[in-house]
Amino acid sequence: MPEYLRRVKVQMPVHKTEGHTDGKAKFKFLPAKDVRRALGVDYGRKHIGVAVSTMGWAPRPLQFIRGGGIVELMRMAQDVVDVAMEEQCDAIIVGLPVTHQGSLYKRATDSQQGRRCRNFAHTVLALSDKHSIGVFLVDERGTSQEAGALLDIVGSGQRRKGRKDSVAAALILSTFFADPGAALRVRLRNR
């Protein structure tokens, strides 16, 4: 178990559902409009950019997570969940590059990178489910280019490697908090 998980006990907000007759308490994730603190994720094969924000105020880019191939998928997803727990987030927002003819709601219209992002979001959900951290997909069209332009303006120079991905994750969070109703909640496939 990582050191920071031993030091911090994280209480995640969970709502009980009403009206169940089987006598067992059932839980659900927060709806998008009720998310207070979220972790934004810009998934890439080389770097995974992450940022955190509370209620959309001043999204803060964090240190990127080193990417890898399909073999490293579980490690990368676990790293994202660990950061979300450390930052006490109640949702993880994954950017999905939607094509011009595509839709956030139609898997069949995803590009190759879109399929990778969607699969990564499902892997993150499988690992975060036990912590009651919801996972949402958001249209991230153009966030990497916009992040690159922002870094050019501030003149980040040599430190740009990987930083662009975390700035893009901050832009993904801004998109989510600007219109949480446009986000798609990721659900486990076997439910």
Side-chain angles (χ1 to χ4, degrees):
M1 176 180 279
E3 178 61 32
Y4 62 83
L5 289 179
R6 283 187 227 129
R7 289 183 283 135
V8 179
K9 289 191 177 190
V10 178
Q11 290 293 327
M12 293 302 185
V14 179
H15 298 318
K16 289 186 180 181
T17 58
E18 301 291 329
H20 292 288
T21 58
D22 61 2
K24 296 179 184 175
K26 295 200 176 187
F27 299 95
K28 65 178 182 177
F29 297 110
L30 289 172
K33 66 180 180 58
D34 291 338
V35 170
R36 298 291 176 243
R37 187 159 174 84
L39 183 76
V41 177
D42 182 43
Y43 176 75
R45 293 172 74 179
K46 292 183 182 178
H47 302 110
I48 299 172
V50 290
V52 67
S53 179
T54 302
M55 303 285 294
W57 294 100
R60 179 174 47 102
L62 302 173
Q63 178 66 36
F64 68 87
I65 296 170
R66 188 146 323 272
I70 190 71
V71 177
E72 296 287 318
L73 188 66
M74 291 299 282
R75 177 203 48 89
M76 295 181 298
Q78 186 62 56
D79 289 348
V80 167
V81 172
D82 290 346
V83 171
M85 290 179 57
E86 180 179 336
E87 292 290 336
Q88 298 183 354
C89 296
D90 47 30
I92 298 171
I93 316 303
V94 179
L96 181 80
V98 178
T99 62
H100 292 294
Q101 298 85 15
S103 169
L104 188 66
Y105 303 98
K106 295 181 182 175
R107 174 185 285 273
T109 63
D110 288 348
S111 65
Q112 184 177 14
Q113 182 61 19
R115 286 190 299 273
R116 287 185 189 119
C117 291
R118 199 177 291 266
N119 289 337
F120 183 72
H122 281 280
T123 304
V124 168
L125 179 63
L127 295 172
S128 68
D129 191 41
K130 63 185 170 201
H131 303 292
S132 298
I133 300 174
V135 178
F136 295 89
L137 289 171
V138 171
D139 185 351
E140 65 139 19
R141 262 183 282 203
T143 56
S144 293
Q145 291 79 12
E146 190 176 344
L150 287 171
L151 289 174
D152 287 343
I153 290 170
V154 297
S156 66
Q158 296 296 330
R159 298 180 298 151
R160 184 177 176 148
K161 184 179 180 181
R163 227 178 132 177
K164 180 175 88 168
D165 299 307
S166 290
V167 172
L171 293 171
I172 288 167
L173 281 175
S174 295
T175 300
F176 173 78
F177 281 111
D179 185 12
L184 175 65
R185 183 156 96 62
V186 179
R187 300 177 190 277
L188 288 176
R189 291 181 182 147
N190 59 357
R191 288 187 181 176

